[in-house]
Amino acid sequence: MTDTPLVIVVVGPTAVGKTKVAIQIAQQFQTEIISADSRQFYRQLQIGTAKPSPAELNLVKHHFIGNLDIEQDYNISKYEVEALQCADVLFKTHHSIVLVGGSGLYIDAFCKGIDVLPDPDLQLRSELKEKLINQGIESLRLDLKTLDPDYYATVDLANPNRIMRALEVILQTGTPYSQLRKQQKAPRSFKVCKIGLMLPREEIHDLINHRVDIMMRNGILKEAGQLFPHRHLNALNTVGYKELFSYLEGNIPLLKAKEAIKTNTRRYAKRQLTWFHKDKEIRWFSPFDLENIFNYIKEFD
RNA sequence: GGCGUCGUAGCUCAGUUGGUAGAGCAGAGGACUGAAAAUCCUUGUGUCACUGGUUCAACUCCAGUCGAUGCCA
């Protein structure tokens, strides 16, 4: 063990058991937990985001759970700043901290940093969205081709969000997006030990299906009903809620909505795995293999 | 028991006027820098139920068997 502070990162597909393992690690190393889960931030999203239970929150102090209102406009840059500040404070009294979550991009922002860009101009964003709807993606592509040919050459031209974001930055800053994307690691004062939790795909699917059944029993439908008036907020473009909104709008039967939640959660888990598999710093373990996880962390430190 | 319909990809089904087959869904793989539980891309070989027959050639026609289902008794 060195004097350099340590961030113990716990990642993995949804429902694999990150919450439990993170708590056990935090207890073992006598520290606290920072969440990196872009939906557990929102205090109104209770049942559908599989937040740690009150009992679990009692065992170990968690940060960034239920700290936002769904109306709040939030983004990864704000998270990077706030989470690093939180870590700095914790490092004054702790050698290590636990960072747990399923949002790969947020984990990366914390560990490596992201490029410095101005806060998004939401007015501009909605104008671009309108242009997409009225004039189609081709017109946005043409704009991008003119304003930033370098980025145009590498971006996924089928993905409207990518193109709109680039245009948004370019129009706001007057600088090509490709020039602003340095993609250099920001200096960090801590070491990062990445633990990936993994189970055979079939078991992950079973856990997901089971968890959705429990959410239904615990009243996610009622919660979705209360949130229904806010369904257009980004915070509610979330698996578990959007399918129930579709039911509440009368578009699909409840059983279909429930199945769609399971399907979309499975796909979410798959996307998470695609992201995390790319990260070669991650060492993979079964969520039940605590002994080896502890040993690996000690060795790493 | 009689008559009829059906049996094709994990599921729902299309199709082949006889030249060994294709959609949707599910699944799989991938991308990803301020919306990321978001957004987007790629991906379909399966004893065409089984056993025989006719044919140069059968998944397709014929017979039988098995299974499902409907109607009649």
Side-chain angles (χ1 to χ4, degrees):
Chain A
M1 177 166 132
T2 61
D3 288 340
T4 315
L6 176 69
V7 176
I8 302 159
V9 174
V10 179
V11 298
T14 190
V16 79
K18 292 188 294 296
T19 298
K20 269 194 186 133
V21 170
I23 286 171
Q24 280 160 325
I25 292 174
Q27 287 179 320
Q28 175 77 14
F29 294 87
Q30 295 177 34
T31 187
E32 303 183 5
I33 293 175
I34 294 180
S35 172
D37 188 305
S38 72
R39 289 303 185 268
Q40 292 186 1
F41 298 153
Y42 298 104
R43 68 175 135 267
Q44 290 94 332
L45 309 190
Q46 283 295 341
I47 298 167
T49 54
K51 276 181 187 157
S53 67
E56 287 172 322
L57 292 173
N58 236 353
L59 292 172
V60 173
K61 172 114 171 126
H62 284 67
H63 303 265
F64 298 93
I65 297 282
N67 59 312
L68 294 180
D69 188 280
I70 51 170
E71 303 264 8
Q72 262 172 285
D73 172 50
Y74 202 65
N75 62 53
I76 190 166
S77 176
K78 290 179 183 169
Y79 174 78
E80 185 196 5
V81 171
E82 290 169 17
L84 287 175
Q85 275 172 3
C86 179
D88 277 346
V89 171
L90 288 173
F91 279 138
K92 285 181 179 155
T93 46
H94 302 270
H95 168 66
S96 57
I97 59 169
V98 176
L99 179 72
V100 60
S103 308
L105 187 61
Y106 281 65
I107 300 275
D108 282 356
F110 185 101
C111 297
K112 300 181 211 156
I114 51 172
D115 292 316
V116 179
L117 294 170
D119 271 343
D121 177 341
L122 297 181
Q123 172 69 27
L124 182 56
R125 181 172 288 188
S126 64
E127 283 171 23
L128 288 165
K129 181 88 185 176
E130 205 139 301
K131 185 161 186 183
L132 173 71
I133 291 163
N134 295 330
Q135 301 180 41
I137 192 168
E138 188 54 32
S139 88
L140 294 178
R141 281 191 200 125
L142 286 173
D143 290 348
L144 184 62
K145 195 173 187 178
T146 312
L147 295 168
D148 189 350
D150 286 346
Y151 190 66
Y152 179 87
T154 55
V155 71
D156 176 1
L157 290 169
N159 192 331
N161 282 16
R162 291 282 120 72
I163 296 175
M164 284 190 291
R165 161 98 266 250
L167 287 172
E168 178 184 302
V169 172
I170 295 162
L171 294 172
Q172 213 185 135
T173 62
T175 310
Y177 189 45
S178 53
Q179 279 185 33
L180 297 168
R181 278 162 47 95
K182 302 275 183 270
Q183 309 212 58
Q184 284 172 346
K185 285 184 185 178
R188 297 273 111 117
S189 59
F190 47 77
K191 293 183 296 185
V192 176
C193 175
K194 289 180 179 170
I195 308 291
L197 300 180
M198 176 55 84
L199 284 170
R201 188 65 64 96
E202 215 172 273
E203 289 177 44
I204 292 171
H205 287 182
D206 287 347
L207 287 167
I208 287 170
N209 294 339
H210 185 235
R211 193 168 79 178
V212 173
D213 290 338
I214 287 175
M215 285 176 180
M216 293 300 289
R217 244 175 279 145
N218 287 349
I220 189 181
L221 180 57
K222 190 179 167 206
E223 190 174 295
Q226 287 161 356
L227 295 169
F228 188 72
H230 304 105
R231 63 191 178 285
H232 299 300
L233 295 173
N234 175 56
L236 288 165
N237 187 187
T238 296
V239 174
Y241 295 93
K242 57 183 176 182
E243 298 85 354
L244 291 174
F245 294 150
S246 184
Y247 159 70
L248 292 168
E249 281 168 341
N251 296 329
I252 53 171
L254 185 56
L255 199 66
K256 266 254 162 60
K258 188 176 162 184
E259 286 311 306
I261 293 173
K262 290 180 179 177
T263 299
N264 288 332
T265 306
R266 272 180 249 133
R267 288 178 172 163
Y268 171 48
K270 193 151 89 86
R271 272 177 272 134
Q272 289 176 303
L273 286 170
T274 297
W275 183 286
F276 293 130
H277 278 324
K278 234 181 25 175
D279 187 343
K280 299 306 173 200
E281 291 173 9
I282 295 173
R283 181 73 165 265
W284 295 93
F285 296 90
S286 155
F288 306 112
D289 192 11
L290 274 180
E291 196 184 328
N292 280 318
I293 292 173
F294 289 162
N295 287 338
Y296 176 66
I297 295 168
K298 284 175 197 154
E299 249 173 63
F300 189 96
D301 199 15

